[in-house]
Amino acid sequence: MIAGTDIDVDGLRSALLEVIAEERRVNAGESIRALHADDSSPHPASVPDLVVFPHTVAEVSAVLALANARGVAVTPFGMGTSTDGHVIPLRRGISLDLTEMDGVVRFRPEDQMITVGPGISRSAVNRRAGEHGLLFPVDPGADASIGGMVATNASGTTTVRYGNMRKQVLALQVVLADGTVVRTGSRALKSSAGYDLGQLFVGSEGTLGVIVEVTLRLYGIPEHTVAARAAFPDLDAACGAARALIGAGVLLSRMELLDAYCVQALNRFKDMTLPELPCLLLEFAGSREAVQADSRFAAEVAAEYGCAELELEADHTARVRLWQARHDLPPALAHLRPGSKLMTTDVCVPISELPAAVAAGRAAVERLKIVAGIVGHVGEGNYHITYAFDPDDPDEQDRAEILEAEVIEHALACGGTCSGEHGIGIGKIRHLATEHADLLPLMRGIKQQLDPNGILNPGKVFTA
């Protein structure tokens, strides 16, 4: 049985109101449903039949049990910032908006951990952690929900030091398709007790269960932090410097690549005056002495690769401004073509392959005559080609899809992956099949075991 689209909406709403006795939270309004029809991706919208706003684990359990019994699709929804169609309800049904489950359940600063609801934003977690000199490091740019970040195994600018979401999750509470509530993990920092089923749900994109509680690892805020911007004559030099810095063991907190087109877009969008050259944005954090030593060594390495300009910045406000500029790249690129939609590749390659992979990507961009910027978390080999295109122009759409396919094929050929952080969603289903053809039957078996009626986010990761 696969969840379908033809349902008795009035009957379903009446049944849900017996579980959630507040009409606002079982919403059939046209405007609310439209707000839950898409995300930040270029994929076509699909309007759900109902939007449900649960407040408790018991309510989520009851909603899923009811939906499972009726064969109604359920698509978990957070902040809607995903980039591959994860929250688009392809088979309509229920959009399960978890943003009102946004509380701090337990906070144990002495253990450097916090337990939160799935709807809380990463910035809210950091505000609470910061009161005790702690931080939650994963920074994907958008102020995403923690539940969504777990579901997509998000990473971001700080992954080079702290790792992705998989490294931060100590325990989960998850509601399965039939309403069963399970807990994984513990307060301990490590465990060898049986299969690590918690990690199965991290990155599962809402297809195996609905995450309703997350226990996160926190870290001490470093004593001293310095950011740097290093401009290079070309992309090859910037990538070579990135590889050399990682190989030398420099303890970086962030390492981001921006090509000249990205810098140009930021200059126009934010009224900046940066040299329009490829650059690395770096951050060093730790003791004052360690930061000074690492930044000096990084300057020497950058000089070997022809660094044209290196600026260090210790002032907090200036550092925030620098990283905010990095996070403003998507709207800056879209601003160059008003009315366009953004599409972005998301490959990750071995560090040794990074210069060649980026060069191949740039060559494909030029051959296909696509106007695009290259940006990425190159400290771990993850880079994106981001381009604004006219969704109403079939030729532009075709060239955009050809570019994505070529970039992914090159990444797979050199031992990389089709997705370093954005997940599979709708857009990379066929590429997942290429990358993990031998594992797909096992993946499908797990999906069938946990969601036999196919109600959880159908049409994502797999075609059925």
Side-chain angles (χ1 to χ4, degrees):
M1 177 178 174
I2 300 296
T5 56
D6 295 326
I7 62 175
D8 175 8
V9 177
D10 291 336
L12 175 62
R13 186 164 188 266
S14 295
L16 287 168
L17 284 170
E18 293 181 11
V19 173
I20 301 175
E22 187 178 352
E23 292 199 6
R24 177 193 68 81
R25 295 199 288 124
V26 183
N27 205 307
E30 185 177 344
S31 61
I32 292 293
R33 291 189 297 121
L35 289 172
H36 291 75
D38 60 8
D39 56 11
S40 298
S41 76
H43 300 292
S46 177
V47 180
D49 295 300
L50 293 170
V51 180
V52 178
F53 297 86
H55 284 179
T56 66
V57 174
E59 287 180 349
V60 174
S61 175
V63 170
L64 287 183
L66 192 156
N68 191 55
R70 297 187 177 214
V72 175
V74 178
T75 303
F77 188 97
M79 299 295 186
T81 57
S82 55
T83 60
D84 263 296
H86 303 90
V87 300
I88 298 175
L90 293 179
R91 296 187 187 149
R92 300 176 65 89
I94 297 169
S95 177
L96 191 66
D97 189 316
L98 300 161
T99 55
E100 295 183 16
M101 295 179 68
D102 61 350
V104 174
V105 181
R106 288 176 297 278
F107 183 27
R108 297 187 176 91
E110 67 279 8
D111 289 328
Q112 296 189 206
M113 63 182 64
I114 189 169
T115 301
V116 298
I120 193 170
S121 68
R122 66 173 184 86
S123 64
V125 171
N126 261 320
R127 283 193 296 272
R128 184 67 184 275
E131 296 170 0
H132 294 265
L134 299 171
L135 66 85
F136 169 66
V138 182
D139 180 8
D143 195 15
S145 68
I146 293 298
M149 291 172 66
V150 174
T152 56
N153 188 27
S155 58
T157 60
T158 59
T159 309
V160 65
R161 178 164 182 173
Y162 295 100
N164 55 19
M165 285 299 292
R166 200 174 296 281
K167 302 287 182 64
Q168 320 308 328
V169 176
L170 295 171
L172 291 173
Q173 189 173 26
V174 181
V175 181
L176 303 182
D178 64 357
T180 300
V181 181
V182 298
R183 290 182 179 273
T184 72
S186 69
R187 289 172 55 192
L189 293 179
K190 64 178 183 177
S191 172
S192 294
Y195 301 141
D196 192 350
L197 296 181
Q199 293 302 312
L200 181 64
F201 293 104
V202 179
S204 64
E205 303 182 25
T207 63
L208 301 181
V210 176
I211 296 164
V212 290
E213 186 179 284
V214 184
T215 299
L216 295 168
R217 186 191 305 260
L218 301 175
Y219 300 80
I221 297 174
E223 171 197 345
H224 187 58
T225 303
V226 169
R229 182 180 56 81
F232 293 88
D234 52 49
L235 270 176
D236 189 62
C239 291
R243 184 177 61 184
L245 287 168
I246 294 298
V250 177
L251 189 57
L252 290 155
S253 294
R254 306 182 199 237
M255 175 187 281
E256 297 291 298
L257 170 71
L258 280 68
D259 75 354
Y261 184 73
C262 289
V263 177
Q264 181 187 85
L266 285 176
N267 279 344
R268 294 184 182 182
F269 184 66
K270 298 183 70 71
D271 196 26
M272 302 174 77
T273 57
L274 300 175
E276 293 182 355
L277 295 168
C279 69
L280 292 177
L281 304 182
L282 310 171
E283 188 170 271
F284 312 89
S287 69
R288 187 174 297 274
E289 294 77 11
V291 167
Q292 289 174 346
D294 279 341
S295 58
R296 279 196 303 268
F297 181 74
E300 293 172 5
V301 172
E304 292 177 8
Y305 285 85
C307 176
E309 182 183 58
L310 177 66
E311 289 186 354
L312 297 174
E313 189 56 74
D315 177 72
H316 174 75
T317 301
R319 286 190 290 107
V320 169
R321 188 162 53 243
L322 179 70
W323 293 114
Q324 186 57 52
R326 163 63 182 91
H327 293 323
D328 284 341
L329 260 175
L333 291 167
H335 181 72
L336 295 177
R337 293 193 66 186
S340 63
K341 283 198 171 185
L342 285 183
M343 190 167 180
T344 184
T345 65
D346 177 36
V347 296
C348 191
V349 300
I351 294 294
S352 62
E353 301 286 348
L354 180 66
V358 171
R362 172 50 64 189
V365 164
E366 293 174 359
R367 189 184 75 256
L368 292 166
K369 296 182 171 55
I370 292 175
V371 180
I374 296 180
V375 61
H377 319 308
V378 291
E380 65 268 22
N382 185 197
Y383 78 96
H384 314 293
I385 301 178
T386 302
Y387 38 101
F389 71 100
D390 182 354
D392 297 322
D393 185 331
D395 178 62
E396 279 199 35
Q397 178 119 15
D398 288 346
R399 284 185 285 129
E401 292 174 359
I402 290 170
L403 175 63
E404 181 177 58
E406 289 190 7
V407 169
I408 290 174
E409 288 167 8
H410 186 279
L412 296 181
C414 68
T417 176
C418 67
S419 177
E421 59 181 349
H422 293 167
I424 300 302
I426 300 170
K428 300 191 185 78
I429 290 176
R430 67 186 177 98
H431 301 300
L432 176 69
T434 300
E435 182 174 341
H436 289 307
D438 56 333
L439 294 177
L440 275 187
L442 180 57
M443 293 183 187
R444 290 183 183 276
I446 293 170
K447 168 71 171 175
Q448 177 63 26
Q449 181 68 31
L450 294 178
D451 181 21
N453 293 330
I455 70 162
L456 291 175
N457 211 2
K460 315 298 167 55
V461 184
F462 310 113
T463 52

